[in-house]
C-alpha cells in the first residue's frame, strides 16, 4: 500500500544522500534541520537537529560537571564539555540525518574532564564514555578519519566541533586567518 511505498521511498532517499552522509553515520532527524529558536546557553548559529529542551539540558549538565569538579565555567574541562554537550543536544545535520561528532573531539573532552578526578585509568573511562555515544550514533567510530573507516575501508562521516557563538577554537583560528588574508577551506 501507500505506507510500504513511503517506507521504500525513505529508504531509497537515505541510501542516496549526497556528500557522504548516510544513515549509518548518524540518525534520522524527526524535525527539519534548522536553526533553533531558543538557545541562549549553546548559542547555536547554524542548522541543526535540535532537541526541544536541549539548551536548558545542556546548561544543567555543564553546571553539574562544574560542581562535581569544583571548577568555574571557564576551565579547560568545562569549555570542552560545554562544546561537546551542546553538540550532542544540537547535532549538525544534513538532509535530515545527523552528523556525529568525531571520535577525537569526544575523547579529548572526556579525557580532559576525567583526568585527575577518578580512581580508574582516565584513558579507559574516557574511551568507554565515548563508545557509549558511538553506540547511539552521536559520536563517530574511532576508526573514522578523513572520511574513511580504517577498519572497514568504507566511507564515514563525522564533524569536528567548534565553540558556537563565541570566539574560541576554530572560530578564533578562522578570524586570525581572515585577518591575515589566508584562504581557508573547511571539509566536513
Amino acid at each position: 500500500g501507500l505506507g510500504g511505498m513511503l517506507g521504500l521511498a525513505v529508504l531509497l532517499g537515505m541510501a542516496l544522500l549526497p556528500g557522504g552522509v548516510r544513515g549509518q553515520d548518524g540518525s534520522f532527524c524527526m524535525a527539519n534541520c534548522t536553526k533553533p529558536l531558543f538557545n541562549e546557553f549553546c548559542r547555536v548559529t547554524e542548522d541543526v537537529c535540535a532537541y526541544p529542551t536541549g539548551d536548558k539540558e545542556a546548561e544543567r549538565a555543564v553546571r553539574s560537571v562544574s560542581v562535581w569538579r569544583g571548577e568555574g565555567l571557564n576551565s579547560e574541562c568545562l569549555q570542552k564539555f560545554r562544546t561537546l554537550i551542546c553538540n550532542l543536544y544540537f547535532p549538525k545535520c544534513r538532509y535530515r540525518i545527523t552528523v556525529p561528532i568525531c571520535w577525537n573531539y569526544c575523547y579529548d573532552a572526556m579525557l580532559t574532564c576525567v583526568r585527575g578526578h577518578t580512581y580508574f585509568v582516565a584513558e579507559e573511562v574516557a574511551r568507554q564514555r565515548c563508545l557509549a555515544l558511538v553506540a547511539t550514533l552521536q559520536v563517530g567510530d574511532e576508526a573514522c578519519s578523513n572520511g574513511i573507516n580504517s577498519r572497514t575501508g568504507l566511507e564515514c562521516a563525522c564533524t569536528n566541533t567548534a565553540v558556537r557563538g563565541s570566539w574560541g577554537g576554530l572560530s578564533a583560528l578562522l578570524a586570525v586567518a581572515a585577518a591575515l588574508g589566508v584562504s581557508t577551506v573547511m571539509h566536513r
Side-chain angles (χ1 to χ4, degrees):
L2 183 59
M5 294 289 282
L6 183 59
L8 182 61
V10 168
L11 285 174
L12 183 58
M14 289 176 68
L16 299 174
L17 288 172
V21 177
R22 301 173 327 278
Q24 73 262 26
D25 294 321
S27 56
F28 186 71
C29 179
M30 297 303 285
N32 286 326
C33 299
T34 59
K35 182 179 172 193
L37 297 175
F38 305 102
N39 65 92
E40 294 175 10
F41 181 75
C42 289
R43 298 185 300 253
V44 177
T45 60
E46 59 196 308
D47 289 347
V48 294
C49 182
Y51 288 86
T53 59
D55 203 55
K56 292 290 180 199
E57 298 297 328
E59 184 175 16
R60 279 191 204 112
V62 170
R63 292 199 185 284
S64 294
V65 172
S66 175
V67 169
W68 172 66
R69 288 191 48 97
E71 295 179 353
L73 296 178
N74 289 327
S75 72
E76 181 184 15
C77 162
L78 273 292
Q79 288 295 312
K80 288 181 178 185
F81 185 73
R82 178 183 183 155
T83 301
L84 177 65
I85 200 75
C86 284
N87 279 278
L88 290 173
Y89 278 107
F90 296 101
K92 294 178 183 180
C93 66
R94 293 181 57 201
Y95 309 102
R96 294 187 75 176
I97 300 292
T98 61
V99 181
I101 299 164
C102 290
W103 170 271
N104 59 344
Y105 191 85
C106 177
Y107 183 77
D108 182 51
M110 292 293 186
L111 186 60
T112 300
C113 290
V114 170
R115 192 177 287 134
H117 284 79
T118 181
Y119 296 109
F120 305 103
V121 177
E123 289 82 2
E124 187 57 26
V125 172
R127 187 172 189 283
Q128 291 303 318
R129 289 181 180 176
C130 291
L131 282 174
L133 295 170
V134 169
T136 60
L137 302 177
Q138 294 174 292
V139 169
D141 188 289
E142 67 183 304
C144 180
S145 179
N146 297 319
I148 300 293
N149 184 312
S150 62
R151 225 180 356 261
T152 65
L154 299 173
E155 289 183 352
C156 59
C158 69
T159 182
N160 281 309
T161 59
V163 178
R164 298 173 184 192
S166 67
W167 289 98
L170 184 59
S171 300
L173 179 63
L174 292 175
V176 169
L180 295 174
V182 176
S183 174
T184 57
V185 178
M186 294 184 65
H187 299 280
R188 291 195 181 181

